[in-house]
Amino acid sequence: MKRIKPDANFVAEQASRMTDLLQQRAAIPREDLEYLVERVAKLKDERMQGAIAGLIGWGDEERAEIETFVAIAIEVMKKTNVSRLREAAQTVELRYLTKGMK
């Protein structure tokens, strides 16, 4: 039985999409982020602090971890076949659906 690999375009599209998604968060310059964090830290409203922290998104270390994980996942996609990729996607979907039922 011939092993079918995911199309090269699929993997390239996913890599591009993941890069775009990661870069959408915290798209303001680092200096502005630091200024914002300093100003927010002075607020007494903890709810506002939490909301702004959520909007800022990930720090450099978290972003590097996510980028590394995505890069590894894309390499794995390149080395697998379509049926295994489909099977993995279905497993993830089922986990998500059953988690929502609890």
Side-chain angles (χ1 to χ4, degrees), residues 81-93:
N81 60 40
V82 174
S83 62
R84 290 206 182 214
L85 197 54
R86 187 179 306 114
E87 186 179 304
Q90 289 172 341
T91 300
V92 169
E93 182 179 23

Side-chain angles (χ1 to χ4, degrees), residues 5 31 75 88 91 96:
K5 290 188 174 186
E31 288 178 4
E75 288 301 316
T91 300
Y96 174 78

